[in-house]
Amino acid sequence: MSLVRSSAFFGNQELAYTSESYSYEPNYLLDSPSDELTADKSSFISSFNSPSPVNIDCNEDKVRLKLQELEEVLFDDNSQILPFMEIDDDSPKQSSSADSNFSVTNNESSFTNLPPKTLLFQCATAIQNGNLDEASKMINILRQRVSIMGEPSERIAAYMVEALAARLSISGKGLYKALKCKEQPSSDRLSAMQVLFEVCPCFRFGFMAANGMILEAFKDENRVHIVDFDINQGSQYYTLLQTLAKTQFGKRAHLKLTGVDDPESVQRPVGGLRVIGQRLEQLAKDFNLSFEFRALSSDTSLVSPLMLDRQPGEALIVNFAFQLHHMPDESVSTVNLRDQLLRMVKSLGPKLVTVVEQDVNTNTAPFLTRFSEAYNYYSAVFESLEATLKRDSQDRMNVEKQCLARDIINVVACEGEERIERYEVAGKWRARMSMAGFRACPISRDVKDEIKQLIKLYSERFNVKEETGGLHFGWEDKVLIVSSAWTV
């Protein structure tokens, strides 16, 4: 049974992404403010690092507001050119143009002799320690030495330095003007996120592994109900429906798909799940499949069993693909919405739960550790794109700018509730699933064998291995994506 298609389908029309679909500003970093960033050390650093509110000199409400504004700008999907953000009088200041043309002192001269990676980590350390003048000078030097169009090490450094600048200035002024919203799929265009899933095998095969386990669960059922808490733009289900149409059990069974339409979802500004559901229904009709789609408008944390409209005789499958890490856990709130959602799903008695997540700790790690984790992880992702797309590829630059840069900025620049990209490593997910009452399901040999053959078609440097019940997809020795399946 083949699990793979190289392109997406909408209705009965096969689509391919094109580089002309996106706008791009090649002078993005060159045009961003290069003024030296200066700030009151006590006011900014204390907002992140002070162990006690007693020592905080700045207005915490204003700091939180600035971080919220940064996040809103970062994830504003309604405009093609994101606006600059204003910094009020109590926020760290940008220096005058005269200050930005600082003379090179002996200390600054030593910065220029350091490799970009070393300088990045020294800059992060300076911010952590409150040496903000020194950090701002390093940022200006780094901006002159890196490029989003260079080799992978330059590209990752370019976005990491802007993330540090955003953390330093709180508002991230000038950072997001080149970040374009995710666009609604059309006959000649796929969003940058869909392109990422197509051209980066680790992401793509993460979905494939989940689909393979879902297909296995279908075999003995006449009625299947899939609940997806983040359906994104539906790409996973275009492939699933195509594969079901080639099987006897797929043609026999009735499939109901419920997609949760979270108000924070990127889908709401571009037509919502209604449009995606219409496309899936048309595709199922073309394949003569029995299919229905339900859009559930609700915050993920507010979904209850009654809202899912599960009917007698339905085998329930729950799909968590790149979604659970967005749920706040015990490190953010005593409510622990992440584990609460898992316990609610367990109470439904699902036949199968699939989990696909990035394998990196950006949740509970302190700033410097998190910065290092993010650098190592996204360096591997940027290097893997080198194997599938040319450096001047418009698709590649848009994937890096619109998808990867968003994550990097959020992980590095934001704290508290404003930091929503809270990934965890595979071992932590296993512990959470086990504590919620789930047990791991083995991945079928057919799924494993086919994926192992296909992933090598991209590059020998991609790899997949089975470990503790999950499939780990990686670039060289760095695991990027983990897919796992669970039952009660």
Side-chain angles (χ1 to χ4, degrees), residues 24-25 37 48 71 112 127 139 161 242 248 267 294 308 337 353-354 368 434-435 445 466:
Y24 174 69
E25 297 179 26
L37 299 171
F48 291 114
E71 198 75 337
T112 62
I127 293 175
I139 287 172
V161 70
Q242 293 167 43
Q248 290 300 317
Q267 298 309 323
R294 292 182 66 250
L308 297 176
L337 296 178
V353 176
T354 52
L368 284 180
S434 297
M435 287 189 293
R445 179 173 293 276
E466 185 177 14

Side-chain angles (χ1 to χ4, degrees), residues 111 119 122-123 126 134-143:
F111 293 158
L119 195 55
Q122 287 198 8
C123 182
E134 184 176 275
S136 66
K137 293 171 184 176
M138 294 184 196
I139 287 172
N140 284 312
I141 293 171
L142 280 164
R143 280 173 166 167

Side-chain angles (χ1 to χ4, degrees), residues 221-412:
E221 304 295 341
N222 292 320
R223 299 183 64 83
V224 176
H225 184 178
I226 299 177
V227 176
D228 194 307
F229 283 91
D230 187 5
I231 199 171
N232 201 278
Q233 293 172 351
S235 300
Q236 180 176 355
Y237 297 99
Y238 301 132
T239 304
L240 182 66
L241 291 176
Q242 293 167 43
T243 308
L244 282 173
K246 300 175 184 178
T247 67
Q248 290 300 317
F249 60 82
K251 294 177 180 178
R252 178 191 71 243
H254 174 77
L255 171 60
K256 178 166 69 177
L257 174 60
T258 296
V260 178
D261 189 12
D262 193 312
E264 298 301 319
S265 169
V266 68
Q267 298 309 323
R268 191 174 290 273
V270 294
L273 289 178
R274 179 181 59 82
V275 175
I276 294 170
Q278 289 173 346
R279 291 195 178 100
L280 290 171
E281 288 170 344
Q282 182 60 52
L283 180 61
K285 182 178 179 181
D286 293 341
F287 287 145
N288 295 316
L289 295 174
S290 178
F291 175 80
E292 64 177 299
F293 182 84
R294 292 182 66 250
L296 177 58
S297 297
S298 173
D299 288 327
T300 303
S301 61
L302 300 179
V303 174
S304 67
L306 288 177
M307 296 167 66
L308 297 176
D309 189 33
R310 185 182 183 185
Q311 298 298 314
E314 290 180 343
L316 181 65
I317 297 174
V318 176
N319 185 48
F320 289 116
F322 303 106
Q323 192 278 336
L324 279 174
H325 70 272
H326 284 147
M327 300 298 294
D329 71 346
E330 67 277 3
S331 67
V332 181
S333 169
T334 55
V335 178
N336 194 353
L337 296 178
R338 188 172 298 190
D339 289 349
Q340 179 177 288
L341 176 60
L342 291 176
R343 288 194 297 269
M344 186 277 287
V345 169
K346 196 268 182 181
S347 72
L348 300 173
K351 181 175 184 178
L352 182 72
V353 176
T354 52
V355 177
V356 185
E357 282 290 350
Q358 295 174 231
D359 190 54
V360 57
N361 180 17
T362 64
N363 184 25
T364 57
F367 170 62
L368 284 180
T369 303
R370 191 168 73 245
F371 181 84
S372 178
E373 286 264 331
Y375 181 89
N376 292 331
Y377 181 87
Y378 288 103
S379 289
V381 176
F382 275 70
E383 288 174 7
S384 72
L385 290 175
E386 184 95 341
T388 56
L389 291 173
K390 295 180 179 179
R391 290 182 183 178
D392 60 353
S393 163
Q394 198 73 37
D395 288 324
R396 176 176 173 180
M397 288 187 284
N398 278 279
V399 162
E400 292 171 347
K401 181 177 64 177
Q402 298 179 37
C403 300
L404 304 181
R406 284 176 174 241
D407 280 11
I408 291 169
I409 301 303
N410 186 259
V411 166
V412 173

